[in-house]
């Protein structure tokens, strides 16, 4: 079977507004009301070959870099997040094996996954949440070989459905960073009565998802279940999270596609006070700002996904930034679109079968997966000293950065073995902002509005890193440190926008969105004015960028975004 493309997947899944389409809004709403897992839809994704893209090419799959995987997940998420989360979980569950497993272990898992076996990731526990070093599930050596697994993993996606579960367990009772190991547990090989699946938990969003748990009672697992070296489980998880957190942004981008599609379609068709709602200036500005937000999120997600292969030593920074930044911004985008839909944003049986209210409920969980915002910002705060030092030095991996920001080139292959727990080089993307602004000034005919926005970005980066350098280290991050982490996210996203613009050359003969740097101006404007619409226009003129963006998109017939991967098309 050839590799699945975004265009092929879009066509195969059909029109979600058609109730007779198996993967329709109507069917997803019905499953949501029944709190039923979308088995038939996931089976169709299996048939189309999506699981092959969860498996690296060296083990018989189609996965090379994260960019293509994210684009496919975004297509599915643009229709229904429950399906996307339930199906893509197999990549998250298998990723530790791609990072640290033996070739034999990886090939065996690949065969199962490609055949459609769901894979789960058993990290969290009822009493400890994201504190992985407090893990109590224990794996004790058995006198006859192998291990005995005892304890409970809870709030685990696909814990019941999953045929295999990658479990983090304590192997050293003394504790410490080398006290935990990873095991790929095959339920089919467990002794009867030695494990049980815990009840599915009722949830506000993704109601049909299998959010449950699994408990082990001295379950015997063989030696070959160990993933990587004993005692290296926590380290493997932290490396792997750099990949999964980055890919998770595709869920948010798909949700943003869905929200904007509905908001534009509704306002274009709604008559109010003798005019179409979409003709009202406030509505147009809101939609323009929402599209600018999506462009900024696309830019930072695209660069972060490519950085996993191009700048693997810096991915600890990139993954923490995007996993905190993108879900939060998309939550705000969804809320703005909901304001335009009015009461229809809350109704369950009207306007595309109530899919908007389902979308709003479902997306709120994306920010929690694989480390919530506080976890990711804390991880970034821990790297402030090196980020400040490398910015002051102007340290940049020029070759890696060039590959990360050039979507016209082949996606860099991801090698999990090159990921580092912390970045010794800081962030080449942010550290090159001063030189990028200088390069922009050297481009003949660059729009003065774009130059002004780029200058504001550079000034913000300088001020931020000055404060980072002055921040006193503390065992517990201060409230101000978390605010600085948020500002760093905005600088990182702005740097992604600026570099993507420069990589594209800014040719005036290009598509409308390239002309005068319109998309880049709008994306930088939304970043420099913050996440809150109330801050819009604080520097004067930024609102005009949102108006111009929506006017141009509407004239192009693209104001209702097509499915997925527009960053690869529009930003290019």
């Amino acid at each position: 079977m050839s590799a699945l493309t975004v265009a092929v997947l879009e066509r195969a899944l059909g029109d979600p507004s058609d109730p007779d389409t198996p993967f329709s809004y109507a069917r997803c709403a019905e499953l949501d009301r029944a709190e039923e897992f979308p088995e038939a839809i996931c089976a169709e994704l299996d048939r189309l070959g999506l699981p092959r893209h969860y498996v690296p090419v060296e083990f018989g799959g189609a996965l090379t870099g994260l960019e293509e995987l994210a684009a496919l997940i975004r297509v599915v998420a643009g229709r229904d997040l429950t399906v996307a989360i339930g199906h893509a979980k197999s990549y998250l569950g298998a990723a530790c094996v791609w990072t640290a497993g033996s070739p034999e272990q990886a090939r065996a898992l690949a065969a199962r996954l490609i055949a459609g076996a769901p894979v789960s990731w058993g990290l969290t526990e009822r009493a400890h949440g994201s504190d992985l070093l407090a893990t109590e599930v224990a794996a004790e050596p058995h006198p006859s070989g192998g291990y005995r697994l005892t304890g409970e993993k809870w709030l685990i996606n696909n814990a019941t459905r999953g045929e295999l579960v990658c479990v983090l367990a304590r192997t050293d009772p003394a504790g410490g960073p080398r006290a935990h190991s990873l095991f790929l547990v095959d339920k089919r090989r467990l002794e009867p009565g030695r494990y049980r699946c815990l009840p599915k938990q009722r949830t506000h969003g993704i109601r049909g998802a299998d959010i449950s748990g699994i408990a082990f009672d001295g379950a015997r697992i063989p030696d070959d279940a160990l993933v990587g070296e004993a005692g290296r489980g926590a380290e493997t998880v932290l490396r792997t999270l750099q990949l999964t957190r980055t890919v998770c942004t595709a869920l948010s981008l798909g949700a943003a596609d869905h929200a904007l599609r509905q908001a534009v379609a509704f306002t274009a068709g709604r008559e109010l006070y003798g005019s179409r709602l979409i003709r009202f200036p406030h509505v147009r500005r809101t939609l323009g700002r929402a599209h600018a937000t999506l462009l900024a999120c696309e830019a930072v997600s695209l660069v972060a996904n490519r950085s996993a292969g191009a700048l693997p030593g810096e991915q600890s920074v990139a993954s923490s930034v995007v996993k905190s930044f993108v879900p939060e911004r998309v939550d705000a985008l969804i809320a703005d679109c909901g304001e335009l839909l009015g009461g229809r944003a809350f109704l369950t049986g009207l306007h595309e079968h109530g899919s908007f209210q389902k979308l709003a409920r479902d997306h709120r969980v994306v920010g929690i997966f694989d480390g919530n915002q506080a976890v990711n910002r804390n991880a970034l705060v821990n790297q402030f000293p090196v980020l400040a030092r490398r910015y002051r030095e102007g340290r940049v991996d020029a070759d890696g950065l060039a590959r990360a920001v050039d979507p016209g080139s082949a996606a860099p292959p991801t090698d999990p073995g090159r990921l580092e727990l912390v970045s010794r080089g800081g962030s080449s993307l942010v550290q090159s902002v001063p030189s990028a602004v200088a390069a922009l000034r050297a481009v003949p005919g660059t729009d003065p509005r774009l130059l002004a926005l780029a200058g504001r970005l550079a000034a913000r980066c300088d001020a931020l890193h000055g404060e980072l350098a002055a921040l006193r280290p503390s065992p517990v991050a201060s409230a101000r440190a978390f605010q600085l982490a948020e500002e760093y996210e905005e600088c990182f996203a702005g740097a992604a926008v600026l570099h993507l613009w420069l990589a594209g050359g800014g040719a005036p003969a290009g598509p409308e969105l390239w002309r005068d740097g319109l998309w880049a101006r709008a994306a930088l404007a939304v970043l420099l004015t913050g996440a809150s619409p109330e801050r819009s226009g604080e520097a004067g003129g930024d609102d005009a960028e949102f108006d111009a963006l929506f006017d141009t998109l509407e004239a192009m017939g693209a104001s209702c975004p097509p499915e997925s991967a527009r960053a690869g098309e529009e930003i290019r």
Side-chain angles (χ1 to χ4, degrees), residues 82-102:
T82 302
V83 174
I85 290 167
H87 197 275
K89 182 63 183 184
S90 288
Y91 168 72
L92 276 61
C96 282
V97 177
W98 313 148
T99 298
S102 68

Side-chain angles (χ1 to χ4, degrees), residues 316-564:
S316 61
V317 174
S319 60
S320 294
V321 165
V322 296
K323 184 55 174 61
S324 173
F325 175 84
V326 175
E328 179 184 50
R329 289 303 180 105
V330 171
D331 271 336
L333 182 155
I334 292 170
D336 286 346
C337 290
E339 287 290 326
L340 298 181
L341 267 69
R344 285 163 179 78
F346 300 92
L347 299 176
T348 60
L350 294 175
H351 193 67
E352 297 291 10
H353 306 275
S355 62
F356 190 91
Q357 58 81 31
K358 180 183 187 306
L359 161 73
R361 286 188 285 109
D362 289 352
H363 184 260
R364 292 181 66 183
V365 79
V366 176
I368 298 174
F369 284 149
D370 289 12
N372 61 25
Q373 188 174 71
V375 168
N376 282 288
R377 285 186 174 163
N378 192 70
L380 191 60
V381 169
N382 289 337
Q383 301 190 68
F384 277 177
V386 70
L387 292 174
R389 185 165 59 252
R390 296 306 185 209
Y391 186 86
R392 185 174 61 250
E393 296 168 353
R395 189 266 190 204
V396 174
D397 180 344
D399 291 340
L401 180 62
R403 297 178 72 204
V405 301
D406 181 11
S409 64
T414 302
D415 180 2
R418 296 175 61 205
L419 298 170
E420 301 286 346
L421 291 180
V422 295
S423 174
R424 289 174 288 183
S427 170
S428 293
L429 184 73
V430 177
Q431 287 146 209
S432 61
V433 165
S435 60
V437 173
L440 186 67
R441 291 195 178 107
V443 176
T446 299
D447 189 287
R449 293 168 294 180
L450 181 57
L451 284 173
L453 287 161
R456 285 167 57 192
L457 173 66
R460 178 170 291 189
C461 287
D462 285 345
L464 170 65
H465 286 83
E467 190 163 354
L468 295 188
L471 194 68
R472 299 181 64 180
S474 172
V476 178
S478 66
R480 179 55 182 159
F482 272 76
Q483 292 173 339
L484 292 173
E486 180 179 7
E487 292 181 25
Y488 191 91
E489 294 163 14
E490 293 172 351
C491 287
F492 188 102
V497 170
L498 184 57
H499 278 286
L500 286 169
W501 166 256
L502 287 167
E512 290 290 337
L513 284 176
W514 279 105
R515 208 162 287 169
D516 299 328
L518 175 56
W519 82 263
R521 295 198 326 259
L524 286 173
V526 84
L527 291 167
L528 291 167
T529 54
S532 171
E534 288 74 19
R535 289 172 59 189
S536 178
E538 64 184 11
D542 289 341
D543 283 341
E545 305 294 356
F546 310 140
D547 296 341
L549 178 64
F550 189 73
D551 289 345
T552 301
L553 286 169
E554 187 178 43
M556 293 169 57
S559 57
C560 187
E563 304 288 351
S564 187

Side-chain angles (χ1 to χ4, degrees), residues 239-296:
R239 291 179 190 274
T240 304
L241 283 170
Q242 295 177 29
L243 305 178
T244 61
R245 285 171 175 166
T246 305
V247 170
C248 274
T249 60
L251 300 171
S252 291
L253 295 182
D257 291 340
H258 188 168
L260 274 169
R261 197 164 49 239
Q262 291 215 18
V264 173
F266 174 74
T267 55
R270 178 69 166 169
E271 275 287 339
L272 197 62
Y273 308 121
S275 177
R276 296 285 181 182
L277 193 57
I278 203 169
R279 306 314 321 159
F280 290 23
H282 169 70
V283 171
R284 298 178 69 79
R285 180 164 295 173
T286 300
L287 289 171
R289 183 184 177 89
H291 278 90
T293 297
L294 177 55
L295 285 167

